[in-house]
Each structure stands twice: as structure tokens, then as C-alpha cells.
Amino acid sequence: MLAPKVEQLFGNKKDGEFYTIATLGSHSALQILKGAHDEGFRTMAIANRDTERLYRSFNFVDEVVGIDKYEDFPQHMSMLENRKIIIVPHGSFVAYLSLEDHKRMTIPYFGNKAVLDWEASRELQRQWLTAAGLNLPRQFKSGAEIDRPVIIKLYGAQGGKGYMFVRDPKDFEQRAGLLARRDYMIQEYIIGVPLYIHYFYSPLTGRLEIMSMDRRYETNVDSLGRIPAAAQEGLKLDPSYVVVGNQPISLRESMLAEAYRMGEDVVRVSKEICGPKGLFGAFCIETIITPDTQFYVMEISARIVAGTNLFIDGSPYSYLNYNEPMSTGRRIARELKNALLSNSLRSVLDDTSEI
Ligand code: ATP
């Protein structure tokens, strides 16, 4: 069967037949919607009362739907159900919507929701990454076990807020009061360069691409080096990991093959644990690289991450594959377009999607 033409798929912008890519107005929505617009889709931002005017001010946003709070989105889903809408999720979806909200959603959804369970649980995530052969920081069950510097990660902390550097068991004991009745994880502190690698895996072609990379700029850990160690003595300075921004980075080419292998192995194992579709679309592996050029993996994010916002105009890596600006947001829209053109939309949507 011949693939339908783009005009047949996208129809007329005014006749309601046009596919609309929709997302919540925050995180990387501008990148996603600009990419969707550039690929020929109609675009929709679901904004709250504070962000509505902002999203209206961009000419590539065709429609802004205002809701009171992002948490209310599940109550508003029915108004989108009878339209040709495809939801592209980003980091705010996991912040505002529960796993159940995600699974109840029948609006066509880019991505595989089965991955969410493996990502949301730190234990399952660790199993997944270990099975993929990635190098993970050691985990300690209790303060007494600590034999090296560690980082304490409070559950539910976001953007590195509430993380604590702990030097040894004595230091841990002194903070016991702060940790009482809280859920946390004790992880080996890896001293090295943090590198966040942004990937895109296409289920249509079976090919993995490195889209871009960034390092985060965190306060105050990234500024402690500006004060000589001798001057820090007695200041009682505690490193904190609150993200204030992202910086682009390009990796030594000799280390790229390992970065690529990590992405491939994570995708391969995901197909064994999350159903045959596995992890697809955009994802990010968060690493720290030590002086012996070993990658330690802190975390995986199974969707577009905010660090890709640096590359709305493309990155050095995406330029190698595409001689045109190709953000991760645009790459998602390109995949959806290619799926429509080859009558394989279902292969890039979660199975709960009603199309
Ligand atoms: P997000 O969900 O936005 O990715 P998060 O709250 O999950 O953030 P992480 O990405 O796990 O936070 O970590 C935040 C920061 O803490 C990292 O960028 C890094 O600087 C530091 N960090 C985390 N784990 C380690 C580790 N094992 N060793 C050293 N530093 C670490």
C-alpha cells in the first residue's frame, strides 16, 4: 500500500483534521512545539493561568488551552479526546501527573508508559541499568556501612535540592536528626565531571542517535573551587546541588563510543523488561566521569530532558546527522511525521493510545 501524502495526513489547518502536537506549558514545551511546527503539525500548549500569556506570545503556538493548575490536567483530558491530538510528555508530566494518571490517559501519547514504572522506582531503575552493564555508584544500606564519601539523596527531591554530601560515618551521625523519618538513599560520591547525554531511539528505523550533551551548573558545588581550600577551612561550607542552568559540552571523541554503547544497552534491556516496544524516543543518561575516564551512571530519564533546551537550533552532534537545525523536540515531531507517512503511528505511541 502506498503511504498517504503529507497533505492527506495533516489535512487543512482549519478543518479539525490536522494533527496537533500538545504538551503542558513548561519544561521543554517551547522546544517541542517549535519542533512540531517546523515539521508541519498544529501545536497546542496546555498552560496555567501564570503561563498562558507567555505561550500565546510565540507565533508557532497555534492554540493555548488554559487550566488552573497543571495537576488538574487529568480532569481536562476528555476535551482533547475527540480531536487528532498527540501528547508529547516532558519532565513536568512526571512531576504533576501520577503513574495512574499517565496510564488512564487514552489520548495518543508519544512513548511507552511501561517504562515509567522502571524509571520511577530507584530499585527497579538500578536493576535495569545494572542489567545493561552500566557502572553504578555503590549503594549503602545504612550509615554504619559508609567507608567513603557519600551523597544522601532524599526521595522526592528534585533538581538536586535536598542532597547532602557526607564525608564519613561520624558526619552521617551528626546529620541523623535531619534524616529522621525521611526516605533517602546513600550513594557513593563520585568525584568527576557530570555529563548528561541526550539520546533519541527511533523504533521506526531501529537506530539510536546521540542528539546532544550538557553539564549542569549547580549551586554551590560548582563554585566551591573558586575559594581556595585553605580559605574554606572553618567556614562550614556544605556543598549543595541545586540546578541553576545547563552548559553545552562536547565529549572527547575517544569516549563517544562508550557513550553510544551505554545508550544501546539501555534500549536493548528495556525491550526485555518493558514489553517489546521498550524505551523509545528521547531519553537521557546522567553520568559522572572519573579521571580514569570511567562513566558512572547516576540516573536515567526516559523522556526529553531540560538540558536539550540549549540545542533548539541543533547541536554539533545533531548537525552531523541532519544538515538542518534538529532539536530533540523537532526529532520527536519528525518521528511522528515519519510514522504517519509510513502508516505506523501505533509503533511510536503507547498502547493505551486511542487513535
Ligand atoms: P533531576 O530529576 O532533575 O535529574 P535529581 O533530583 O534526580 O534531578 P540527580 O540528577 O540525581 O538529581 O543529581 C543532582 C546532582 O547531584 C548531580 O548533577 C550531581 O552534581 C550530584 N550527584 C548525584 N549523584 C551523585 C553521585 N553519586 N556522586 C556525585 N555527585 C552526585
Short mmCIF file of all heavy atoms in Angstrom, two decimals, residues 134-190:
data_model
loop_
_atom_site.label_atom_id
_atom_site.label_comp_id
_atom_site.label_asym_id
_atom_site.label_seq_id
_atom_site.Cartn_x
_atom_site.Cartn_y
_atom_site.Cartn_z
N LEU A 134 25.86 -1.16 32.95
CA LEU A 134 26.40 0.17 33.26
C LEU A 134 27.05 0.15 34.64
O LEU A 134 26.70 -0.64 35.52
CB LEU A 134 25.30 1.24 33.19
CG LEU A 134 24.52 1.31 31.87
CD1 LEU A 134 23.66 2.56 31.82
CD2 LEU A 134 25.45 1.29 30.66
N ASN A 135 27.97 1.06 34.79
CA ASN A 135 28.73 1.20 36.02
C ASN A 135 27.95 2.13 36.96
O ASN A 135 27.71 3.28 36.61
CB ASN A 135 30.01 1.92 35.58
CG ASN A 135 31.18 1.55 36.37
OD1 ASN A 135 31.11 0.70 37.24
ND2 ASN A 135 32.28 2.22 36.07
N LEU A 136 27.52 1.63 38.13
CA LEU A 136 26.70 2.49 39.01
C LEU A 136 27.47 2.79 40.29
O LEU A 136 28.24 1.95 40.77
CB LEU A 136 25.40 1.78 39.39
CG LEU A 136 24.50 1.31 38.26
CD1 LEU A 136 23.18 0.81 38.81
CD2 LEU A 136 24.21 2.42 37.27
N PRO A 137 27.26 3.98 40.88
CA PRO A 137 27.88 4.26 42.17
C PRO A 137 27.40 3.23 43.19
O PRO A 137 26.25 2.78 43.12
CB PRO A 137 27.37 5.65 42.55
CG PRO A 137 26.79 6.23 41.31
CD PRO A 137 26.39 5.09 40.43
N ARG A 138 28.28 2.89 44.15
CA ARG A 138 27.88 1.91 45.16
C ARG A 138 26.75 2.45 46.02
O ARG A 138 26.66 3.65 46.23
CB ARG A 138 29.08 1.62 46.05
CG ARG A 138 29.39 0.17 46.10
CD ARG A 138 30.43 -0.13 47.13
NE ARG A 138 29.78 -0.68 48.32
CZ ARG A 138 30.45 -1.06 49.39
NH1 ARG A 138 31.74 -0.93 49.44
NH2 ARG A 138 29.81 -1.57 50.41
N GLN A 139 25.88 1.57 46.47
CA GLN A 139 24.78 1.98 47.33
C GLN A 139 25.05 1.43 48.74
O GLN A 139 25.51 0.29 48.86
CB GLN A 139 23.50 1.36 46.80
CG GLN A 139 22.30 2.16 47.09
CD GLN A 139 21.75 2.77 45.81
OE1 GLN A 139 22.20 3.82 45.42
NE2 GLN A 139 20.80 2.11 45.19
N PHE A 140 24.76 2.20 49.79
CA PHE A 140 24.95 1.73 51.16
C PHE A 140 23.60 1.63 51.85
O PHE A 140 22.75 2.52 51.68
CB PHE A 140 25.86 2.69 51.93
CG PHE A 140 27.25 2.77 51.34
CD1 PHE A 140 27.56 3.72 50.40
CD2 PHE A 140 28.23 1.87 51.74
CE1 PHE A 140 28.84 3.79 49.84
CE2 PHE A 140 29.51 1.92 51.19
CZ PHE A 140 29.81 2.89 50.24
N LYS A 141 23.42 0.55 52.63
CA LYS A 141 22.11 0.34 53.27
C LYS A 141 21.95 1.21 54.50
O LYS A 141 20.85 1.61 54.85
CB LYS A 141 21.93 -1.13 53.63
CG LYS A 141 21.75 -2.01 52.40
CD LYS A 141 21.07 -3.33 52.78
CE LYS A 141 21.00 -4.27 51.60
NZ LYS A 141 22.33 -4.82 51.21
N SER A 142 23.06 1.47 55.20
CA SER A 142 22.94 2.26 56.43
C SER A 142 24.20 3.11 56.61
O SER A 142 25.24 2.84 55.98
CB SER A 142 22.79 1.34 57.64
OG SER A 142 24.02 0.67 57.83
N GLY A 143 24.08 4.09 57.50
CA GLY A 143 25.20 4.99 57.77
C GLY A 143 26.42 4.23 58.27
O GLY A 143 27.56 4.60 57.96
N ALA A 144 26.18 3.14 59.03
CA ALA A 144 27.29 2.39 59.61
C ALA A 144 28.17 1.75 58.53
O ALA A 144 29.35 1.50 58.76
CB ALA A 144 26.72 1.31 60.53
N GLU A 145 27.57 1.48 57.39
CA GLU A 145 28.31 0.81 56.30
C GLU A 145 29.25 1.74 55.54
O GLU A 145 30.11 1.28 54.78
CB GLU A 145 27.31 0.29 55.27
CG GLU A 145 26.78 -1.07 55.53
CD GLU A 145 25.87 -1.51 54.39
OE1 GLU A 145 25.96 -1.02 53.26
OE2 GLU A 145 25.03 -2.38 54.66
N ILE A 146 29.06 3.05 55.73
CA ILE A 146 29.79 4.02 54.90
C ILE A 146 31.30 3.91 55.11
O ILE A 146 31.77 3.93 56.24
CB ILE A 146 29.34 5.46 55.24
CG1 ILE A 146 27.86 5.64 54.95
CG2 ILE A 146 30.16 6.49 54.46
CD1 ILE A 146 27.32 6.99 55.39
N ASP A 147 32.04 3.77 54.02
CA ASP A 147 33.50 3.69 54.15
C ASP A 147 34.19 4.68 53.21
O ASP A 147 35.36 4.56 52.91
CB ASP A 147 33.98 2.26 53.86
CG ASP A 147 33.58 1.81 52.45
OD1 ASP A 147 32.94 2.59 51.73
OD2 ASP A 147 33.94 0.68 52.06
N ARG A 148 33.42 5.62 52.68
CA ARG A 148 33.96 6.61 51.75
C ARG A 148 32.97 7.77 51.68
O ARG A 148 31.84 7.64 52.18
CB ARG A 148 34.14 5.99 50.37
CG ARG A 148 32.82 5.56 49.74
CD ARG A 148 32.97 4.66 48.55
NE ARG A 148 33.22 3.29 48.98
CZ ARG A 148 33.55 2.29 48.16
NH1 ARG A 148 33.68 2.50 46.88
NH2 ARG A 148 33.75 1.09 48.63
N PRO A 149 33.35 8.89 51.06
CA PRO A 149 32.37 9.98 50.94
C PRO A 149 31.13 9.53 50.18
O PRO A 149 31.22 8.77 49.23
CB PRO A 149 33.14 11.05 50.15
CG PRO A 149 34.58 10.75 50.38
CD PRO A 149 34.66 9.25 50.51
N VAL A 150 29.97 9.99 50.65
CA VAL A 150 28.70 9.59 50.01
C VAL A 150 27.82 10.81 49.78
O VAL A 150 28.05 11.89 50.34
CB VAL A 150 27.91 8.57 50.88
CG1 VAL A 150 28.64 7.25 51.01
CG2 VAL A 150 27.57 9.16 52.24
N ILE A 151 26.81 10.61 48.96
CA ILE A 151 25.78 11.64 48.77
C ILE A 151 24.46 11.05 49.25
O ILE A 151 24.15 9.89 48.96
CB ILE A 151 25.74 12.12 47.29
CG1 ILE A 151 24.75 13.27 47.10
CG2 ILE A 151 25.47 11.00 46.31
CD1 ILE A 151 24.93 14.05 45.79
N ILE A 152 23.75 11.82 50.07
CA ILE A 152 22.45 11.35 50.57
C ILE A 152 21.39 11.99 49.68
O ILE A 152 21.33 13.21 49.55
CB ILE A 152 22.20 11.82 52.02
CG1 ILE A 152 23.41 11.54 52.92
CG2 ILE A 152 20.91 11.24 52.59
CD1 ILE A 152 23.52 10.15 53.42
N LYS A 153 20.56 11.14 49.11
CA LYS A 153 19.51 11.63 48.21
C LYS A 153 18.16 11.41 48.86
O LYS A 153 17.73 10.26 49.02
CB LYS A 153 19.57 10.91 46.87
CG LYS A 153 20.91 11.06 46.17
CD LYS A 153 20.87 10.42 44.80
CE LYS A 153 22.14 10.78 44.05
NZ LYS A 153 22.12 10.34 42.66
N LEU A 154 17.51 12.49 49.20
CA LEU A 154 16.17 12.36 49.78
C LEU A 154 15.22 11.99 48.65
O LEU A 154 15.30 12.54 47.56
CB LEU A 154 15.73 13.70 50.37
CG LEU A 154 16.52 14.19 51.59
CD1 LEU A 154 16.00 15.55 52.04
CD2 LEU A 154 16.40 13.19 52.73
N TYR A 155 14.30 11.04 48.90
CA TYR A 155 13.33 10.67 47.88
C TYR A 155 12.41 11.85 47.62
O TYR A 155 12.04 12.57 48.54
CB TYR A 155 12.52 9.45 48.30
CG TYR A 155 13.32 8.16 48.22
CD1 TYR A 155 13.50 7.36 49.33
CD2 TYR A 155 13.91 7.77 47.02
CE1 TYR A 155 14.25 6.18 49.25
CE2 TYR A 155 14.65 6.60 46.93
CZ TYR A 155 14.82 5.82 48.04
OH TYR A 155 15.56 4.67 47.95
N GLY A 156 12.07 12.02 46.37
CA GLY A 156 11.16 13.11 46.02
C GLY A 156 11.87 14.43 45.83
O GLY A 156 11.27 15.41 45.41
N ALA A 157 13.19 14.49 46.11
CA ALA A 157 13.93 15.74 45.89
C ALA A 157 13.99 15.96 44.38
O ALA A 157 14.03 15.02 43.61
CB ALA A 157 15.33 15.61 46.44
N GLN A 158 13.96 17.20 43.98
CA GLN A 158 14.02 17.47 42.56
C GLN A 158 15.09 18.48 42.24
O GLN A 158 15.30 19.42 43.00
CB GLN A 158 12.68 17.99 42.07
CG GLN A 158 11.83 16.85 41.58
CD GLN A 158 10.57 17.33 40.95
OE1 GLN A 158 10.20 18.49 41.09
NE2 GLN A 158 9.91 16.44 40.25
N GLY A 159 15.72 18.24 41.08
CA GLY A 159 16.75 19.18 40.65
C GLY A 159 17.89 19.27 41.65
O GLY A 159 18.52 20.30 41.82
N GLY A 160 18.18 18.15 42.35
CA GLY A 160 19.33 18.11 43.26
C GLY A 160 19.08 18.81 44.59
O GLY A 160 19.96 18.85 45.45
N LYS A 161 17.88 19.34 44.80
CA LYS A 161 17.57 20.05 46.05
C LYS A 161 17.49 19.05 47.20
O LYS A 161 16.87 17.99 47.05
CB LYS A 161 16.20 20.74 45.89
CG LYS A 161 16.18 22.11 46.48
CD LYS A 161 14.85 22.77 46.18
CE LYS A 161 14.90 24.20 46.63
NZ LYS A 161 13.93 25.02 45.98
N GLY A 162 18.09 19.36 48.31
CA GLY A 162 17.99 18.46 49.46
C GLY A 162 19.01 17.34 49.44
O GLY A 162 18.93 16.43 50.25
N TYR A 163 19.96 17.35 48.50
CA TYR A 163 21.01 16.34 48.50
C TYR A 163 22.10 16.78 49.48
O TYR A 163 22.36 17.96 49.62
CB TYR A 163 21.62 16.19 47.10
CG TYR A 163 20.78 15.40 46.13
CD1 TYR A 163 19.46 15.07 46.41
CD2 TYR A 163 21.31 14.97 44.93
CE1 TYR A 163 18.70 14.34 45.52
CE2 TYR A 163 20.55 14.24 44.03
CZ TYR A 163 19.25 13.94 44.33
OH TYR A 163 18.51 13.21 43.45
N MET A 164 22.75 15.80 50.12
CA MET A 164 23.76 16.14 51.11
C MET A 164 25.05 15.38 50.87
O MET A 164 25.00 14.16 50.64
CB MET A 164 23.25 15.71 52.49
CG MET A 164 22.64 16.80 53.30
SD MET A 164 22.09 16.01 54.81
CE MET A 164 20.39 15.72 54.41
N PHE A 165 26.15 16.07 50.97
CA PHE A 165 27.46 15.41 50.90
C PHE A 165 27.84 14.98 52.31
O PHE A 165 27.79 15.79 53.23
CB PHE A 165 28.49 16.39 50.33
CG PHE A 165 29.89 15.85 50.36
CD1 PHE A 165 30.32 14.97 49.39
CD2 PHE A 165 30.77 16.23 51.37
CE1 PHE A 165 31.61 14.46 49.42
CE2 PHE A 165 32.07 15.72 51.41
CZ PHE A 165 32.49 14.83 50.43
N VAL A 166 28.19 13.71 52.48
CA VAL A 166 28.58 13.22 53.80
C VAL A 166 29.94 12.53 53.68
O VAL A 166 30.14 11.67 52.82
CB VAL A 166 27.50 12.24 54.35
CG1 VAL A 166 28.02 11.51 55.57
CG2 VAL A 166 26.23 13.00 54.71
N ARG A 167 30.85 12.96 54.53
CA ARG A 167 32.25 12.52 54.42
C ARG A 167 32.52 11.12 54.96
O ARG A 167 33.23 10.34 54.35
CB ARG A 167 33.05 13.51 55.28
CG ARG A 167 34.23 14.10 54.63
CD ARG A 167 34.97 14.87 55.69
NE ARG A 167 36.36 14.51 55.59
CZ ARG A 167 37.26 15.28 55.03
NH1 ARG A 167 36.93 16.46 54.58
NH2 ARG A 167 38.50 14.89 54.94
N ASP A 168 31.94 10.82 56.12
CA ASP A 168 32.23 9.54 56.79
C ASP A 168 31.11 9.22 57.79
O ASP A 168 30.18 10.01 57.97
CB ASP A 168 33.59 9.63 57.51
CG ASP A 168 33.70 10.89 58.36
OD1 ASP A 168 32.68 11.28 58.96
OD2 ASP A 168 34.79 11.49 58.40
N PRO A 169 31.17 8.05 58.46
CA PRO A 169 30.08 7.66 59.37
C PRO A 169 29.82 8.70 60.47
O PRO A 169 28.66 8.93 60.86
CB PRO A 169 30.57 6.34 59.98
CG PRO A 169 31.58 5.81 59.04
CD PRO A 169 32.20 6.99 58.38
N LYS A 170 30.89 9.37 60.95
CA LYS A 170 30.72 10.36 62.02
C LYS A 170 29.87 11.54 61.50
O LYS A 170 28.92 11.98 62.15
CB LYS A 170 32.11 10.85 62.48
CG LYS A 170 32.08 11.51 63.82
CD LYS A 170 33.50 11.62 64.39
CE LYS A 170 33.61 12.97 65.05
NZ LYS A 170 34.59 13.84 64.45
N ASP A 171 30.22 11.99 60.33
CA ASP A 171 29.49 13.07 59.68
C ASP A 171 28.01 12.65 59.50
O ASP A 171 27.08 13.43 59.73
CB ASP A 171 30.16 13.33 58.32
CG ASP A 171 29.66 14.59 57.63
OD1 ASP A 171 28.93 15.35 58.29
OD2 ASP A 171 30.00 14.79 56.44
N PHE A 172 27.80 11.39 59.14
CA PHE A 172 26.44 10.88 58.93
C PHE A 172 25.64 10.96 60.23
O PHE A 172 24.50 11.41 60.25
CB PHE A 172 26.51 9.43 58.43
CG PHE A 172 25.15 8.86 58.12
CD1 PHE A 172 24.55 9.07 56.89
CD2 PHE A 172 24.46 8.11 59.08
CE1 PHE A 172 23.29 8.56 56.60
CE2 PHE A 172 23.20 7.60 58.80
CZ PHE A 172 22.62 7.82 57.56
N GLU A 173 26.29 10.53 61.32
CA GLU A 173 25.62 10.54 62.63
C GLU A 173 25.18 11.95 63.01
O GLU A 173 24.10 12.17 63.54
CB GLU A 173 26.56 10.02 63.70
CG GLU A 173 26.25 8.61 64.12
CD GLU A 173 27.36 8.03 64.94
OE1 GLU A 173 27.81 8.70 65.90
OE2 GLU A 173 27.80 6.91 64.61
N GLN A 174 26.05 12.94 62.71
CA GLN A 174 25.72 14.32 63.08
C GLN A 174 24.48 14.84 62.35
O GLN A 174 23.85 15.78 62.77
CB GLN A 174 26.92 15.23 62.80
CG GLN A 174 27.97 15.09 63.88
CD GLN A 174 29.32 15.66 63.46
OE1 GLN A 174 29.48 16.13 62.34
NE2 GLN A 174 30.28 15.62 64.36
N ARG A 175 24.19 14.22 61.20
CA ARG A 175 23.03 14.68 60.42
C ARG A 175 21.80 13.80 60.64
O ARG A 175 20.78 14.00 59.98
CB ARG A 175 23.37 14.68 58.93
CG ARG A 175 24.41 15.71 58.58
CD ARG A 175 24.97 15.34 57.23
NE ARG A 175 26.23 16.00 56.99
CZ ARG A 175 26.36 17.10 56.26
NH1 ARG A 175 25.31 17.67 55.74
NH2 ARG A 175 27.53 17.64 56.09
N ALA A 176 21.94 12.83 61.54
CA ALA A 176 20.85 11.86 61.72
C ALA A 176 19.52 12.57 62.00
O ALA A 176 18.47 12.16 61.50
CB ALA A 176 21.20 10.90 62.84
N GLY A 177 19.57 13.66 62.75
CA GLY A 177 18.35 14.40 63.08
C GLY A 177 17.64 14.89 61.83
O GLY A 177 16.41 14.79 61.69
N LEU A 178 18.41 15.38 60.87
CA LEU A 178 17.85 15.90 59.61
C LEU A 178 17.19 14.80 58.78
O LEU A 178 16.27 15.06 58.00
CB LEU A 178 18.97 16.49 58.75
CG LEU A 178 19.48 17.89 59.07
CD1 LEU A 178 20.68 18.22 58.19
CD2 LEU A 178 18.37 18.91 58.84
N LEU A 179 17.70 13.58 58.98
CA LEU A 179 17.24 12.48 58.14
C LEU A 179 16.13 11.65 58.78
O LEU A 179 15.51 10.82 58.11
CB LEU A 179 18.41 11.56 57.79
CG LEU A 179 19.51 12.22 56.94
CD1 LEU A 179 20.74 11.33 56.86
CD2 LEU A 179 18.99 12.51 55.54
N ALA A 180 15.89 11.89 60.08
CA ALA A 180 14.89 11.08 60.79
C ALA A 180 13.53 11.16 60.09
O ALA A 180 13.12 12.23 59.64
CB ALA A 180 14.77 11.57 62.23
N ARG A 181 12.88 10.04 60.00
CA ARG A 181 11.56 9.91 59.38
C ARG A 181 11.53 10.36 57.91
O ARG A 181 10.50 10.73 57.38
CB ARG A 181 10.49 10.67 60.17
CG ARG A 181 10.16 10.01 61.52
CD ARG A 181 9.02 10.68 62.24
NE ARG A 181 9.32 12.07 62.55
CZ ARG A 181 10.07 12.45 63.57
NH1 ARG A 181 10.59 11.55 64.37
NH2 ARG A 181 10.30 13.73 63.81
N ARG A 182 12.67 10.38 57.26
CA ARG A 182 12.68 10.71 55.82
C ARG A 182 13.15 9.48 55.06
O ARG A 182 13.92 8.69 55.57
CB ARG A 182 13.66 11.88 55.52
CG ARG A 182 13.63 13.01 56.49
CD ARG A 182 12.77 14.17 56.12
NE ARG A 182 12.78 14.68 54.78
CZ ARG A 182 13.23 15.87 54.47
NH1 ARG A 182 13.81 16.63 55.38
NH2 ARG A 182 13.11 16.34 53.24
N ASP A 183 12.70 9.37 53.83
CA ASP A 183 13.19 8.28 52.98
C ASP A 183 14.34 8.81 52.16
O ASP A 183 14.23 9.88 51.54
CB ASP A 183 12.08 7.81 52.03
CG ASP A 183 11.05 7.00 52.77
OD1 ASP A 183 11.43 6.31 53.73
OD2 ASP A 183 9.85 7.10 52.40
N TYR A 184 15.43 8.07 52.17
CA TYR A 184 16.60 8.54 51.43
C TYR A 184 17.44 7.38 50.96
O TYR A 184 17.25 6.23 51.38
CB TYR A 184 17.45 9.49 52.29
CG TYR A 184 17.91 8.89 53.59
CD1 TYR A 184 19.05 8.12 53.66
CD2 TYR A 184 17.16 9.09 54.77
CE1 TYR A 184 19.46 7.55 54.86
CE2 TYR A 184 17.57 8.52 55.97
CZ TYR A 184 18.72 7.75 56.00
OH TYR A 184 19.11 7.19 57.17
N MET A 185 18.39 7.71 50.10
CA MET A 185 19.30 6.69 49.58
C MET A 185 20.72 7.17 49.85
O MET A 185 20.99 8.37 49.75
CB MET A 185 19.05 6.62 48.08
CG MET A 185 19.92 5.66 47.35
SD MET A 185 19.32 5.55 45.66
CE MET A 185 19.90 7.05 44.98
N ILE A 186 21.60 6.25 50.21
CA ILE A 186 23.00 6.62 50.45
C ILE A 186 23.82 6.08 49.28
O ILE A 186 23.85 4.87 49.05
CB ILE A 186 23.54 6.02 51.77
CG1 ILE A 186 22.58 6.33 52.94
CG2 ILE A 186 24.94 6.52 52.07
CD1 ILE A 186 22.96 5.63 54.25
N GLN A 187 24.46 6.97 48.57
CA GLN A 187 25.19 6.55 47.37
C GLN A 187 26.63 7.03 47.42
O GLN A 187 26.89 8.15 47.89
CB GLN A 187 24.48 7.18 46.16
CG GLN A 187 24.84 6.57 44.84
CD GLN A 187 23.97 7.15 43.72
OE1 GLN A 187 24.22 8.26 43.27
NE2 GLN A 187 22.95 6.42 43.30
N GLU A 188 27.53 6.23 46.96
CA GLU A 188 28.94 6.60 46.85
C GLU A 188 29.05 7.93 46.11
O GLU A 188 28.38 8.14 45.10
CB GLU A 188 29.63 5.49 46.04
CG GLU A 188 31.02 5.77 45.63
CD GLU A 188 31.58 4.62 44.75
OE1 GLU A 188 30.79 3.75 44.30
OE2 GLU A 188 32.78 4.63 44.53
N TYR A 189 29.87 8.83 46.64
CA TYR A 189 30.07 10.13 45.99
C TYR A 189 31.15 9.98 44.93
O TYR A 189 32.29 9.62 45.25
CB TYR A 189 30.47 11.20 47.00
CG TYR A 189 30.39 12.59 46.43
CD1 TYR A 189 29.22 13.33 46.52
CD2 TYR A 189 31.49 13.16 45.77
CE1 TYR A 189 29.13 14.60 45.98
CE2 TYR A 189 31.40 14.43 45.23
CZ TYR A 189 30.22 15.14 45.34
OH TYR A 189 30.13 16.41 44.80
N ILE A 190 30.81 10.21 43.68
CA ILE A 190 31.78 10.06 42.59
C ILE A 190 32.37 11.44 42.28
O ILE A 190 31.62 12.38 41.97
CB ILE A 190 31.12 9.48 41.32
CG1 ILE A 190 30.33 8.20 41.64
CG2 ILE A 190 32.16 9.25 40.23
CD1 ILE A 190 31.17 7.01 42.03
#
